[in-house]
Amino acid sequence: MTAEGVQDDAGTRPEFAVLGSLEVRVGGELLPLNSALQQRVLVTLLLEAGRVVPLSRLIAAAWQEEPPDSAEHQVRKTVAKLRGRIPHGHDIIVTDGSGYRAVVDTGELDLLCFQRLLSQARESLEAREQERAVARFREALALWRGPVLAGSGGRVVDAASTALEEQRLTAAEQLYGLLLDAGEAAGITGELRALVDEHPLRETLRSRLVLALYHSGQQAAALDEFTRAREQLADELGIDPGAELTALHERILRQDPSISRPDRAAAPAVPHQETEAPHALPFDVPDFSGRSHELQWICETARRAQEGSPTVLALDGMGGGGKTTLAVRAAHQLAEQYPDGNLFIDLHGFTPGQTPLSPFQAQGDLLAAAGIPSEEISTVPAGRAARWQSYMRGRQMLLVLDNAASSEQVRELIPAFCDSLVLITSRPRLTGLDGAEWLSVGALPELDSHQILRNTLGAERVEREPDSARELLRLCGGLPLAVRIAAARLANRPRWSVQRLVERLRDHNRRLDELTSEGRGVASALLLSYQSMPREQRTAFRLLGHHPGRYLDADEAAALLDTDALTAEDVLEELVDIRLLEAREPGVYALHDLVRSFVQRVAQGERAPEDGQATERLLDHYLRTAELACDTLFPGRRRVGGTDEEDMPGNGFGHKDRALQWLDQHRESLLAAVDAAYDEGLLWHAARLPRELGFHSSIRGYDASANVALEKGVKASTRLGDPSLARLNLMNLAMGKWRLGQLSGAVARLEEAVDLSRQMEDEHSEAECRARLGQAYNSMGELERALQLSQEASKRARELGFTRLDGSSLSMLSLIQVRLGRFEEAVESAERAVAIFDSIKEVQLSVSALSYLSQAVEGLGRFEEALARTDAALERCRRMNMLSELPLVLARRADVLVRMGELEEAADSSDHALAKATSSTGDIHRAAVHLSVGRVRYAQSDLDTAKDQQLLAHEIACRMELRYDEACALWGLARTAEAQGDARLAREHRAAADNLFSLMKVPETAR
């Protein structure tokens, strides 16, 4: 494979698989596709292989929601990328009229093979060649790996996938009908059971299963299967079984000879067992949902078992996670592979009010369940252990050892010499079991939780409140026990809306109480795990409950536990072992939402003096580390207390990437820490932490939530009586409001900050606040005032030795000078700003300075240089993944490319800018992005789109009081109206634009 992923051998054509997850293989090597868009476009073409797929259908397939304005362009671009990425791509994806067509041979696409084999099977049926038909059906069904794109392809692909699923099920029904006629009932009941569990409402499949059970001599099981079908049809659809299934049921009851087992001359007689094999599995939950990956793992691992020794599979996970239900479902699916029967035992490792069974007690219960008379069960431990091993020796049985507390509890229950399967469930991972294979059972995916809800409440009730249903499942955290209790509560209260229960669950303090029913609940399940811990571990778990977020690392734990990071990590790993924590990436751990509710309740109920100290230590850690990270990312900034930049540590994290990564990973916890500090009266931390969040948000653009923290920072500073911290929070809050386009609010906060600076006689702070005022007034179109403030701030910063402020003031000054048509001065200001930022290794602010420098040199007609400056800004922007600045830089690049006549590349850049602006939370640059798209479309003579974009820019600019952007939008609308032949409208727009530009003193050369 080459670096681009294309096969070097030009003669090798790729092979495609769409039945399941999309796979493209070249010479046996998997060829990865870079995006979901590429996958959906390619799959849609392959689903219609040989037929023309219109562009409109590809667009509908590519986007779940309303497609973007650039959808057509993106699809064409995606097709071009696919052609370049896939060997022989231009021969495989051909343009045909207004669409595209996939040209592949039958042997190159599993779907075509699937359809060819089905066709051959049906031809064999017509020719009465049953054996050949069975072989072809088998081959076809073996190609099936699941729904197309694993069920995540969107509405168009999913609709096609549903049709293919219908073909598969119809083929399966025909296959099993043939096998029943051939007397193969005993060999297909397991396969039929799996399909029926997957499609419980498909009556033809159910009829095949009932008949297979009956033909296998399991009359009671066949009748029980009919009962289950009737209940599911009534619960799900409110109907009775159809005529075919009902008639079959009646004929079984009458033992109608017409449905007796087919004669098979070659079939050997099945010997009868001298003693009846035990069948002690508990009831299999009929509305079992999901866990397909886990079920597949259990079944495949069981099939790989070595002869002569038992297969031991251990399932671990937190209480209420559905381990027992999963084990029972797997046991029912595998039971027929173990002819000597099955046994189930609850070892009571974590059962309220029960002492865990000893191995001696468990052996006695298992022997009794196997039918061994009590007089044959020894009362001596060694004798009983020997009797158990003797009973199991040579047998093929399935054992479910449920709810184990430890490895010691189950070790003596595992048979030594047999081909049996042992399924063990436990909360802690039983690492002491040699030879066992483990599987951790985590949270249930949302789709599977949703199915439980639908099964219990009915589809109609759930679909009436889809948003509430989703929130309900989120609050249950994917814990099957919680979902089932919530669903049962709603089922027992038919007058309740789903939203009512959601509102009750939103109360963090009541959530665990709401998820309790008849003594069974999440809290009681977790309490047993908690009570089983040693005292030191309980204390550590309680202290960790003071962590404000869901995710924590070893350093945070060390702060809470007042220890070093290595010791803290050991404590965390021990909690992972007993499934009260989830291990994420190395060094990062997660508290399940309901576990967090539980531990916080414990922390409140058992609060000790060390709890408050733990919270304060954690806040100290957050503040210290966040300051070091921001010092690394924003060199030259002043520290709290007025320390100048030359006195600051250079690289607290050693590298900007590491600092930014730490802030990204801890953002949610830092936001929650501000709330916790404020609520617990730790005002100094509540006043200090928000500043770091504001700085981080200037890169990542989460200003709405950061501003909430900064508002609390202002309140905390005021309550502390600390005007310096209040000024700091006010200024950072103002910048957050500026990025959201809330200019009046930003100016108001800055004016307050200026007043505080003057009261404190803090010249550094006053200069900084006045520079930010210049930035706000520039956005509002008060250019002369903004020019004066920025010039004064730059001069004062140089006098005070405040290098960073000098650079940011010069940068803003260059933008104002560009707008006033002073391009030579703007170039000088921007170049000085870039030099300052480079000298202190400040990347973030240099992006804006380079972008403004690009505008200045463009104004002088130096387009190649302008593009180079923009590309430099773009490289730095992408290096730090600056979500708030990226749309503006991309739009700037598009503007330069338009001036250079590179319209296709300009369109790509402006489309990318629009996509990023739409997904960004910041609003201050959105009007400028729409203006850039409008300019590109105008240059391409796409006047309708240009007009739409200019109108959007005008609406945003008016709403936010962005006078310069408003004037530019009117100017663009005038040009567009003129090109469309509407002279009157063009004059009106141009007059309005000229008026605004004149008020701002913007010369014609700068418009």
Side-chain angles (χ1 to χ4, degrees), residues 803-823:
T803 308
R804 178 186 174 86
L805 180 62
D806 186 20
S808 62
S809 300
L810 285 167
S811 180
M812 181 51 53
L813 184 60
S814 71
L815 175 60
I816 300 165
Q817 288 165 336
V818 164
R819 291 182 170 183
L820 291 172
R822 304 177 186 179
F823 300 119

Side-chain angles (χ1 to χ4, degrees), residues 301-311 418-420:
T301 307
R303 293 190 188 103
R304 296 197 307 267
Q306 297 181 356
E307 292 186 11
S309 61
T311 300
C418 66
D419 294 329
S420 294

Side-chain angles (χ1 to χ4, degrees), residues 792-858:
E792 291 173 356
S794 175
K795 178 183 176 184
R796 195 71 185 110
R798 284 195 299 276
E799 292 171 352
L800 295 169
F802 196 167
T803 308
R804 178 186 174 86
L805 180 62
D806 186 20
S808 62
S809 300
L810 285 167
S811 180
M812 181 51 53
L813 184 60
S814 71
L815 175 60
I816 300 165
Q817 288 165 336
V818 164
R819 291 182 170 183
L820 291 172
R822 304 177 186 179
F823 300 119
E824 295 283 1
E825 296 174 37
V827 168
E828 181 185 353
S829 298
E831 285 180 340
R832 287 171 59 196
V834 171
I836 287 172
F837 294 141
D838 287 348
S839 71
I840 63 173
K841 298 180 181 179
E842 164 57 70
V843 177
Q844 183 212 13
L845 294 179
S846 72
V847 170
S848 298
L850 283 165
S851 185
Y852 301 154
L853 179 55
S854 168
Q855 290 188 58
V857 295
E858 180 192 335

Side-chain angles (χ1 to χ4, degrees), residues 940-979:
Q940 292 180 316
S941 300
D942 183 357
L943 300 180
D944 288 337
T945 304
K947 179 181 178 182
D948 290 342
Q949 293 296 316
Q950 290 154 356
L951 285 170
L952 277 170
H954 185 259
E955 184 275 324
I956 293 169
C958 290
R959 172 162 47 86
M960 295 185 189
E961 301 180 81
L962 302 171
R963 293 292 170 253
Y964 185 83
D965 289 337
E966 180 186 352
C968 290
L970 288 166
W971 187 264
L973 284 166
R975 286 203 311 168
T976 304
E978 189 173 43

